[in-house]
Amino acid sequence: MMVFSVSDELLGTVAPIVVYWLYSGIYVALSSLERYRLHTKVEEEEKNLVSKSAVVKGVLLQQLVQAAVAILLFTVTGSDAEADKAQQFSLLVLTRQFIIAMIVLDTWQYFMHRYMHHNKFLYRHIHSQHHRLVVPYAYGALYNHPVEGLLLDTVGGALSFLISGMSPRTSIFFFSFATIKTVDDHCGLCLPGNLFHMVFKNNSAYHDVHHQLYGSKYNFSQPFFSVWDRILGTYMPYSLEKREGGGFEARPTKEFKDD
């Protein structure tokens, strides 16, 4: 009987891609539940400035680049099987690596994301591609200009991997988790019992505010915490209100709306 084994490096490269499309598929199936949507289907069709087929092609391109960089990174750093064995039984080490990786990724993405909004050239020619999705949906989470995908997501992921000191095996779980969180932030739904919404203030409603014209200079934080927005004054408070006709709407507080 032949036994096939898959290396941690290969799983670390492929797993986030598979998770992205599987988790997105779940939200596509749930998107018909109008009572939980942040925008109606009509708004999704009318406001978005890019076709869904173009979004799928753009995401696949970014994932191809990410896979190539992951393979290169794993090749350069090597694989230490003994370190994997030692780490898999240390919950404290794994927790520390996860927290460090989350902080590094959040910090990198906040400052790069904010700079891409404030630099007119970068926004016009690069970051505005992502904002063609005025009404975000799950599988559009990684729809970016290839340069942005490389700088924001791929480089940010590489830094979090290297600085945290995680092994390829640990990276399988961390980057799958980060992928699920990113998809959830763009799903356009507020589902009851969503654990991400219970644990993280940075969620689908929080990020939806950023995708609207009034919130484009606020709520830059992604994908985990809202700390940098709160520290540096780019946090836009909002309330989640029931929309007439069903669903929800993330409404900024009066002082921001009046601005």
Side-chain angles (χ1 to χ4, degrees):
M1 180 178 178
M2 295 181 65
V3 178
F4 295 95
S5 61
V6 180
S7 69
D8 292 341
E9 290 82 1
L10 181 59
L11 280 174
T13 301
V14 175
I17 297 174
V18 174
V19 166
Y20 182 90
W21 292 107
L22 285 177
Y23 200 62
S24 294
I26 293 172
Y27 273 124
V28 169
L30 294 174
S31 64
S32 61
L33 301 174
E34 285 285 348
R35 64 185 180 276
Y36 299 124
R37 291 178 63 102
L38 290 168
H39 298 271
T40 65
K41 284 187 176 180
V42 173
E43 287 177 318
E44 182 180 305
E45 295 298 327
E46 292 181 348
K47 291 185 176 182
N48 285 342
L49 306 174
V50 60
S51 69
K52 291 182 177 179
S53 61
V55 168
V56 171
K57 291 176 184 176
V59 171
L60 288 173
L61 174 61
Q62 175 162 333
Q63 290 177 325
L64 180 63
V65 173
Q66 287 179 333
V69 172
I71 292 170
L72 178 63
L73 189 63
F74 288 140
T75 302
V76 171
T77 58
S79 175
D80 191 338
E82 292 303 317
D84 280 350
K85 286 182 180 179
Q87 287 184 17
Q88 68 182 346
F89 296 108
S90 176
L91 183 60
L92 182 62
V93 170
L94 294 177
T95 302
R96 186 193 71 215
Q97 290 175 341
F98 255 67
I99 292 173
I100 291 173
M102 290 167 77
I103 292 171
V104 170
L105 188 58
D106 258 30
T107 300
W108 176 263
Q109 293 214 352
Y110 173 84
F111 287 101
M112 287 299 297
H113 186 193
R114 183 174 178 178
Y115 185 64
M116 285 189 175
H117 271 271
H118 287 278
N119 183 296
K120 292 181 179 180
F121 177 86
L122 290 178
Y123 184 81
R124 183 181 299 114
H125 297 284
I126 295 177
H127 187 56
S128 62
Q129 178 169 323
H130 182 67
H131 280 272
R132 292 175 187 171
L133 292 176
V134 180
V135 177
Y137 48 79
Y139 61 89
L142 292 183
Y143 176 65
N144 300 309
H145 189 284
V147 173
E148 177 179 351
L150 180 63
L151 290 177
L152 218 70
D153 298 318
T154 308
V155 173
L159 287 173
S160 63
F161 173 79
L162 293 170
I163 294 174
S164 68
M166 66 175 59
S167 66
R169 182 167 298 174
T170 303
S171 77
I172 297 170
F173 299 100
F174 175 74
F175 289 114
S176 294
F177 172 61
T179 297
I180 290 173
K181 179 65 172 62
T182 300
V183 170
D184 197 88
D185 289 346
H186 290 80
C187 71
L189 297 168
C190 279
L191 295 170
N194 187 322
L195 290 176
F196 283 119
H197 292 195
M198 296 177 184
V199 176
F200 297 99
K201 296 296 183 183
N202 190 340
N203 50 42
S204 57
Y206 186 95
H207 195 66
D208 183 76
V209 169
H210 174 72
H211 271 259
Q212 308 313 308
L213 183 61
Y214 58 76
S216 62
K217 295 294 177 70
Y218 298 91
N219 294 13
F220 297 112
S221 292
Q222 58 186 47
F224 299 112
F225 309 112
S226 59
V227 175
W228 285 116
D229 276 321
R230 293 175 185 274
I231 291 175
L232 297 177
T234 53
Y235 169 67
M236 176 178 278
Y238 64 92
S239 61
L240 195 60
E241 307 289 344
K242 287 190 175 181
R243 187 177 59 242
E244 186 177 347
F248 296 97
E249 180 183 356
R251 296 177 185 170
T253 56
K254 188 176 186 301
E255 60 268 25
F256 279 90
K257 199 165 188 178
D258 289 344
D259 288 345

